[in-house]
Amino acid sequence: MKVNDGAMTLALATIQALQILTIVIVSPFISGVTSHLEARIQGRRGPRILQPYYDIKKLFRKETLVPNDASWVFMAAPIVAFTCYLIVPMLIPVLTNYPLPLGYIGDILGGGFVLSLASFSLALAALETNSPFAQLGSSRAKTFGALIEPSILFVAFTVAVITTTDLPYFEAAAARSSISQIVRPAHVLAVIAFFLVVLNDTGRIPVETHSGTLEFGMIEEARSLEYSGPLFGLLKWGSAMKQLILYVLLVNVFTAPWGLAGTQKLSALLLAIVAFIAKALVVGLVFAMIDNSFSKLRLFKITEFMAATFLLAFLAVVALFLGGG
Amino acid sequence: MAALVPSTFSGIADFMAIVVLLSEFAMLRAPLSRSQIKLYSFQSMVVTVLAIFIAADRHIDGLYAVAAISLILKVVVIPAIVLRLLRDAKVELVASNRIGVASMVLISILVSIFAMVVIDGLYVHSKSLPTAALGVAVAVVLVSFLLVIFRSDVVSQAVGFFSLENGVSVASLVVAAGLPLIVEVAFFFDLLVAVVVFGVLMRVHHGRTQSLSTDLLDQLKG
Amino acid sequence: MNFILEAILIIPLSAALVSWWVTPRIGKILSVLSGTSTFVLTLTLVDSKTPTALAGWLRADSLSVVFLIAVSFLYFTTSIFATGYVHKVGDRSVGAKYERRLFAGLNLFCWAMMAAPLVSSMALLWVAIEVTTVISALLVAIDNTEGATEASWKYVLIASMGLGIALFATILLYYVGSTVFGHNYDLFYPSLFGAAPRFPHQITELAFVLAVLGYGTKVGLVPVHTWLPDAHSEAPTPVSALLSGALLAISFYAILRYFQVTVLTLGPRFPRDILLAFGLASLLLAALYLAAQRDLKRLLAYSSIEHMGILAIGMSFAAPIAIVGVLLHVLAHAAAKGTAFFGAGSIVKKFGTKDMTRIRGVVRVLPFSGPMMVLAILALSAMPPFGVFRSEFLIIYGGLSSPSSAVVSVLVLLVTIAFFGLSYFATRTMLTPALQGMVSKETSWWIVTAMAMGVFALLILGLHPPSQLSDLLSRAASELVVRP
């Protein structure tokens, strides 16, 4: 830290750490607010806003139970997943609109792969348990994951054509550069497609109910059924982080890349954190409203949701070349 | 190979045209006749907004009148007439897909791309007009044909014709925004008359067969 | 100062409105009066020099007048025929309400068909033709039988979709015009023709192809003809006659308007090739189907497709004489097909069926309309001395003098096949001995009158067309191939 022009500026490495910390610390809060809002929309009082923190704290105090057939994979999976969720925030613009030193180690696809690794390790662990529901969940998650993959690729492709790179920072900069970039058909379509991808990946309606307890409709939720204690706490925390990471991509890369810190000044960064939390809350509110306005699709109709997503992503690419950009 | 950034005006106009195309896709797969009609109403709404948008940007006052007529007729009256007809017919669901949803959508995508490539090759280039929307409009027209071909119930086929007109409307907004008002009014009047005729025939057909499917209409051959 | 153009539009429209409200008897008289006066008024236009009215929105150049004559002649004869068609028969569908609807519809239909050649703008032309579609679709469905419902649904759907394409062509034409005129102008023919040489080529090409495809749906050009045999066979016979003789021609008129613009922009090569392709396909398919028909009215419907194919092929020949032939063919076909449908109406009334295997000895049981039906069929197969012979002769003559003489041989071959199809029908049903128990008696003298007028017109056109008419045709032909 050094004093410069009377304001505190932070080293780039510190800012990088701050990005990760923001995600780690804020993510349960966003989940808490979202479920609180959801309850309020439904006319319930709902859980306290800070409830996820209490849950995690409680879980960390409990003992760990491991299924008889499980091996070390079962123990390692939550840690691997959590680590993945720690890595991704390095690659994306959480607080700053300028790339941080490690921001170049992976592009959108790289971030996607890291997230996939997390999902993969959880799927493996679910197979370990020999519990039918957990195995069902992991097989479904992989199936639908494979179906949503083409949409993600086409969104990435759209970004690549618009910015000539695949780096989230550049997409954000392009979107920031002029209103034309935001309203161009390719961008709008890609954003809608990505929004649907986020709906799917965070396990929201219409794909999955995240608050239900009915195992038959579960996809991703079912994978953690056999976990308990600190490992389960890590999983819950991790899924909150994953959700927030996806929100970051949605707002800070695609829709509203404003309010990010342009300098290394502490004040700017603090402002960016506040702006970021506000934006994430808006997204949470939108998701809560969607949760309350639609019903869950039957499992075999989910493919149509995927098809619609793919259609949008595909049209985004078509629009780039034929539909006016 | 970064694509050129379109102007804000044409970006928004093109996007609305694409929304019209997307709602055409949705009609193609919508299982309920009722939802098809609502989609048509939505599509007409988008066309109306596009008309207002272009009127505001280009300062063409006649288009406001067109938008008003379009709002009343295509967004409200025509859907209301057909919905009423449906209510009287008491038919909710007509199994009318000749081929699977996935194949329909895939064929429609191919057809849309074909339309856009063809129009792109025509070099309808103009600085002031969102000419890319013309290709999208042609795609809407072609997909509406597919709707008529692939769905064998009277509501789908009628909605196919109405939405064909929406596609042509988009095209006319894009390349012929200055079309004389009297002509536009005549177009709309025609559309209304066509709706009435479609309605009469649907009613006759339903009265005769107690069904909205057109599979029964196979007597005349040769 | 005269108001002929306005009168031509106002008379049928008021006849339609009034006959909806009054008793069928008065409605019939009104229709006949309206048909007669419209025809007479149209004939007064033959010599006139492109009158305009309503601030230029109405305009009748020579080309319009040719088509106006075709329509108004059929209006005139059909109104007479229809009077006999619904006259005191035990047909279940006939009632006062039915008659009122039919006559109001016929007048309205004719009004729309008269309006199409009279309007002077591409956009209003589309509107008029779409109006003809919706009115005629209702008229096709008026008998309320299973077949009529099906035919009407197919017709209104296919024709409307086709006209959707035509509307797209109109929009594109407006766009190419706006490259010259700027963004606010009316699609009036004279201004379009004046500016056409400066239009961008590719989009004009597209507009022309779409117009041929779109309006061609209503003309009945193969492969977009599929509604035509159904609608013609299931409609009440007066409607069939108007559909076949007048409506197809009016739609062809719309194509000719696009042809005019396109020739001025692109030169004659491109539009001719397009019309040739559609024309050959139509002629080929119709000639083959003609040989295999059992249904009397379907037979006539396929004959219409055949003749529309001949029109399209005739337009593809470079020689002006072929164009004159095409225009004469429009008139002759209207007279011949009208007469043939009137005869078919008489036969169907007499025998109670359209199935040709159950129709025998027509000439014997229908002493007047039977022989005239034979004459009409002969005229349709282009036998001398009827007008169709003269017109097809002109077309073939023009074709021989143009480079595409190979096409002419195909044309002659296919027309010959069609001739065999029609004459097979004629010998089977007309000249055979009568069935047991059929009384030799005409169904209605109105029908005989209408047919006699048709045959008379065919003879005039074939033997010695009045010089005013010949002048009109050559003026119209020169308008069609005018060089900038």
Side-chain angles (χ1 to χ4, degrees):
Chain A
M1 263 183 247
K2 57 181 179 177
V3 177
N4 193 3
D5 293 344
M8 279 238 281
T9 58
L10 304 177
L12 288 174
T14 323
I15 298 173
Q16 191 123 48
L18 193 61
Q19 292 221 75
I20 301 172
L21 272 179
T22 313
I23 295 287
V24 171
I25 294 169
V26 173
S27 58
F29 173 72
I30 302 292
S31 300
V33 175
T34 310
S35 45
H36 183 76
L37 283 174
E38 236 177 270
R40 286 326 261 296
I41 295 174
Q42 290 165 358
R44 294 185 282 120
R45 274 183 61 202
R48 279 175 299 176
I49 286 172
L50 297 181
Q51 189 62 39
Y53 292 103
Y54 295 109
D55 285 349
I56 291 166
K57 190 175 151 201
K58 181 182 73 187
L59 285 169
F60 272 108
R61 287 210 199 107
K62 298 228 168 180
E63 59 177 339
T64 301
L65 292 174
V66 179
N68 287 333
D69 305 317
S71 69
W72 60 272
V73 174
F74 182 82
M75 306 289 287
I79 300 164
V80 171
F82 197 81
T83 316
C84 290
Y85 298 138
L86 288 176
I87 293 172
V88 177
M90 296 182 199
L91 313 176
I92 55 178
V94 182
L95 298 178
T96 62
N97 63 15
Y98 50 89
L100 295 164
L102 294 176
Y104 288 124
I105 61 173
D107 56 8
I108 288 188
L109 288 179
F113 288 147
V114 176
L115 289 178
S116 307
L117 176 63
S119 158
F120 173 71
S121 62
L122 292 179
L124 271 190
L127 287 179
E128 286 278 301
T129 61
N130 256 349
S131 148
F133 286 124
Q135 288 176 345
L136 188 74
S138 71
S139 100
R140 283 177 180 175
K142 286 292 119 192
T143 309
F144 293 127
L147 288 174
I148 203 81
E149 201 75 4
S151 313
I152 301 175
L153 285 176
F154 272 86
V155 170
F157 188 62
T158 311
V159 171
V161 175
I162 290 178
T163 63
T164 68
T165 76
D166 241 355
L167 292 168
Y169 283 102
F170 284 87
E171 169 62 16
R176 216 168 18 239
S177 64
S178 83
I179 185 80
S180 310
Q181 284 282 11
I182 301 256
V183 298
R184 65 191 292 180
H187 182 260
V188 181
L189 289 167
V191 166
I192 300 173
F194 188 72
F195 182 84
L196 297 178
V197 169
V198 173
L199 269 185
N200 174 66
D201 280 4
T202 52
R204 314 286 299 204
I205 277 178
V207 178
E208 186 181 4
T209 46
H210 58 285
S211 55
T213 51
L214 183 68
E215 290 91 343
F216 283 115
M218 285 183 174
I219 299 171
E220 307 217 342
E221 295 265 310
R223 295 182 304 185
S224 51
L225 282 177
E226 295 296 318
Y227 278 101
S228 57
L231 289 178
F232 190 44
L234 267 187
L235 279 180
K236 290 205 93 162
W237 203 346
S239 76
M241 282 164 66
K242 177 188 172 191
Q243 173 177 315
L244 191 58
I245 288 168
L246 292 169
Y247 287 7
V248 169
L249 287 173
L250 201 56
V251 290
N252 279 357
V253 175
F254 285 112
T255 48
W258 296 282
L260 294 168
T263 62
Q264 288 164 252
K265 286 180 189 156
L266 181 62
S267 54
L269 286 165
L270 288 175
L271 204 64
I273 291 177
V274 173
F276 166 64
I277 292 175
K279 284 189 280 186
L281 286 178
V282 171
V283 179
L285 178 66
V286 171
F287 276 68
M289 279 164 38
I290 288 177
D291 246 28
N292 281 291
S293 340
F294 294 91
S295 55
K296 189 181 134 22
L297 289 168
R298 281 188 296 133
L299 199 66
F300 296 107
K301 288 277 175 194
I302 293 178
T303 48
E304 284 190 20
F305 174 84
M306 309 284 179
T309 312
F310 178 68
L311 178 63
L312 287 165
F314 185 73
L315 272 181
V317 176
V318 172
L320 269 181
F321 296 105
L322 299 167
Chain B
M1 63 188 275
L4 286 173
V5 183
S7 72
T8 307
F9 166 72
S10 47
I12 293 175
D14 288 343
F15 177 67
M16 283 198 249
I18 289 176
V19 173
V20 172
L21 179 61
L22 280 172
S23 45
E24 194 68 42
F25 274 101
M27 283 178 209
L28 199 62
R29 69 153 295 280
L32 292 177
S33 298
R34 203 150 26 93
S35 47
Q36 266 180 335
I37 296 160
K38 284 176 183 159
L39 277 166
Y40 168 69
S41 179
F42 167 76
Q43 191 187 47
S44 310
M45 189 70 217
V46 177
V47 175
T48 307
V49 173
L50 182 62
I52 295 172
F53 180 68
I54 289 179
D57 194 85
R58 303 255 86 89
H59 309 292
I60 307 169
D61 294 335
L63 273 187
Y64 288 112
V66 172
I69 303 173
S70 154
L71 181 71
I72 296 168
L73 220 58
K74 296 203 287 190
V75 182
V76 181
V77 174
I78 292 176
I81 292 177
V82 187
L83 278 177
R84 198 198 147 89
L85 222 65
L86 265 187
R87 238 196 334 274
D88 293 350
K90 294 195 178 64
V91 180
E92 277 293 314
L93 191 65
V94 188
S96 69
N97 289 5
R98 290 194 208 273
I99 59 173
V101 171
S103 327
M104 276 198 298
V105 172
L106 278 179
I107 294 174
S108 311
I109 290 178
L110 290 180
V111 163
S112 311
I113 292 177
F114 169 77
M116 293 186 202
V117 169
V118 167
I119 297 298
D120 196 51
L122 282 179
Y123 303 107
V124 190
H125 288 317
S126 151
K127 281 202 177 67
S128 61
L129 297 170
T131 41
L134 184 63
V136 181
V138 177
V140 173
V141 169
L142 291 186
V143 177
S144 75
F145 272 90
L146 294 181
L147 175 61
V148 172
I149 293 168
F150 288 143
R151 298 289 297 266
S152 59
D153 66 289
V154 285
V155 177
S156 294
Q157 295 187 343
V159 166
F161 166 63
F162 303 154
S163 58
L164 170 111
E165 199 275 343
N166 267 345
V168 179
S169 289
V170 172
S172 84
L173 287 173
V174 172
V175 299
L179 210 60
L181 185 60
I182 177 171
V183 173
E184 295 272 4
V185 172
F187 285 164
F188 281 120
F189 170 73
D190 249 16
L191 184 67
L192 188 66
V193 175
V195 173
V196 173
V197 172
F198 272 100
V200 168
L201 290 177
M202 275 190 225
R203 202 177 273 272
V204 169
H205 175 63
H206 180 258
R208 185 168 288 288
T209 61
Q210 303 304 316
S211 146
L212 292 180
S213 170
T214 54
D215 288 338
L216 301 162
L217 299 179
D218 60 351
Q219 306 282 312
L220 303 174
K221 290 189 180 107
Chain C
M1 221 27 213
N2 56 30
F3 295 96
I4 296 177
L5 299 190
E6 289 95 331
I8 288 177
L9 288 186
I10 291 170
I11 292 173
L13 185 61
S14 30
L17 294 176
V18 175
S19 54
W20 180 263
W21 297 109
V22 297
T23 58
R25 193 179 182 79
I26 303 175
K28 283 176 191 170
I29 296 170
L30 270 177
S31 302
V32 174
L33 284 178
S34 161
T36 316
S37 50
T38 311
F39 182 54
V40 171
L41 282 175
T42 309
L43 287 181
T44 64
L45 288 174
V46 169
D47 278 333
S48 60
K49 300 266 180 289
T50 314
T52 59
L54 289 182
W57 288 96
L58 299 181
R59 181 171 174 276
D61 57 10
S62 305
L63 186 62
S64 307
V65 173
V66 172
F67 284 86
L68 279 176
I69 292 174
V71 175
S72 61
F73 176 74
L74 268 182
Y75 181 25
F76 168 49
T77 49
T78 305
S79 61
I80 295 172
F81 167 76
T83 308
Y85 177 77
V86 293
H87 188 56
K88 55 172 182 184
V89 275
D91 196 336
R92 64 180 165 78
S93 58
V94 172
K97 201 173 165 193
Y98 176 88
E99 287 184 39
R100 276 215 309 271
R101 283 180 179 172
L102 181 67
F103 278 93
L106 284 178
N107 284 314
L108 203 58
F109 186 29
C110 290
W111 167 73
M113 288 196 294
M114 301 293 286
L118 273 179
V119 293
S120 63
S121 145
M122 288 289 194
L124 288 186
L125 173 66
W126 182 87
V127 170
I129 290 187
E130 173 71 22
V131 171
T132 64
T133 308
V134 290
I135 298 170
S136 52
L138 287 179
L139 283 173
V140 170
I142 201 172
D143 274 353
N144 200 18
T145 60
E146 216 163 288
T149 315
E150 178 181 342
S152 171
W153 180 257
K154 281 184 188 168
Y155 170 42
V156 75
L157 190 70
I158 296 173
S160 298
M161 297 302 273
L163 286 177
I165 299 181
L167 179 57
F168 209 97
T170 314
I171 301 288
L172 285 179
L173 194 68
Y174 183 88
Y175 171 73
V176 294
S178 71
T179 58
V180 175
F181 295 111
H183 276 292
N184 211 330
Y185 73 105
D186 303 314
L187 282 158
F188 284 159
Y189 301 136
S191 51
L192 276 181
F193 297 155
R198 285 177 286 158
F199 288 169
H201 284 199
Q202 273 184 315
I203 306 170
T204 313
E205 278 176 13
L206 183 66
F208 180 71
V209 173
L210 290 180
V212 172
L213 198 63
Y215 289 121
T217 311
K218 291 210 64 181
V219 179
L221 294 178
V222 174
V224 283
H225 67 289
T226 42
W227 61 273
L228 193 146
D230 296 348
H232 282 60
S233 68
E234 298 303 320
T237 307
V239 180
S240 309
L242 285 173
L243 280 176
S244 175
L247 181 69
L248 305 190
I250 288 302
S251 314
F252 191 72
Y253 164 83
I255 293 182
L256 288 186
R257 286 297 180 193
Y258 278 84
F259 183 86
Q260 274 180 297
V261 174
T262 315
V263 167
L264 290 172
T265 308
L266 298 166
R269 181 78 200 221
F270 177 76
R272 278 182 190 151
D273 287 352
I274 299 287
L275 285 178
L276 181 64
F278 277 98
L280 279 179
S282 312
L283 189 52
L284 176 66
L285 184 119
L288 296 180
Y289 269 82
L290 272 175
Q293 274 311 313
R294 285 166 55 107
D295 182 308
L296 175 55
K297 286 170 81 178
R298 287 185 93 82
L299 180 92
L300 295 177
Y302 276 106
S303 157
S304 299
I305 298 179
E306 178 215 337
H307 285 283
M308 291 303 128
I310 294 174
L311 288 183
I313 294 175
M315 283 312 293
S316 75
F317 292 150
I321 189 87
I323 312 283
V324 174
V326 166
L327 297 175
L328 180 62
H329 197 76
V330 169
L331 297 176
H333 175 252
K337 195 49 68 61
T339 312
F341 267 112
F342 299 156
S346 184
I347 292 171
V348 170
K349 263 178 102 127
K350 187 82 182 175
F351 289 83
T353 176
K354 292 181 289 185
D355 186 349
M356 288 189 285
T357 55
R358 286 159 55 197
I359 300 173
R360 286 288 176 267
V362 172
V363 174
R364 287 172 182 78
V365 293
L366 292 169
F368 293 95
S369 57
M372 282 196 283
M373 178 72 176
V374 175
L375 293 182
I377 295 289
L378 287 178
L380 280 177
S381 357
M383 281 307 210
F386 300 108
V388 182
F389 168 74
R390 179 185 283 269
S391 61
E392 287 192 17
F393 180 79
L394 289 176
I395 291 172
I396 289 169
Y397 181 73
L400 284 175
S401 63
S402 71
S404 49
S405 45
V407 177
V408 177
S409 43
V410 177
L411 174 67
V412 172
L413 176 72
L414 291 175
V415 169
T416 313
I417 295 176
F419 165 72
F420 282 124
L422 281 173
S423 46
Y424 176 56
F425 149 75
T427 46
R428 235 184 344 170
T429 58
M430 301 283 169
L431 308 171
T432 43
L435 294 172
Q436 288 290 313
M438 293 291 279
V439 188
S440 172
K441 185 174 183 298
E442 278 299 331
T443 47
S444 159
W445 290 106
W446 290 101
I447 295 181
V448 175
T449 314
M451 290 183 75
M453 284 169 177
V455 173
F456 181 62
L458 277 171
L459 282 172
I460 288 186
L461 290 176
L463 291 172
H464 185 70
S467 59
Q468 290 101 327
L469 187 67
S470 307
D471 289 348
L472 176 77
L473 292 178
S474 40
R475 261 184 287 135
S478 64
E479 277 171 15
L480 263 175
V481 290
V482 69
R483 302 303 312 165

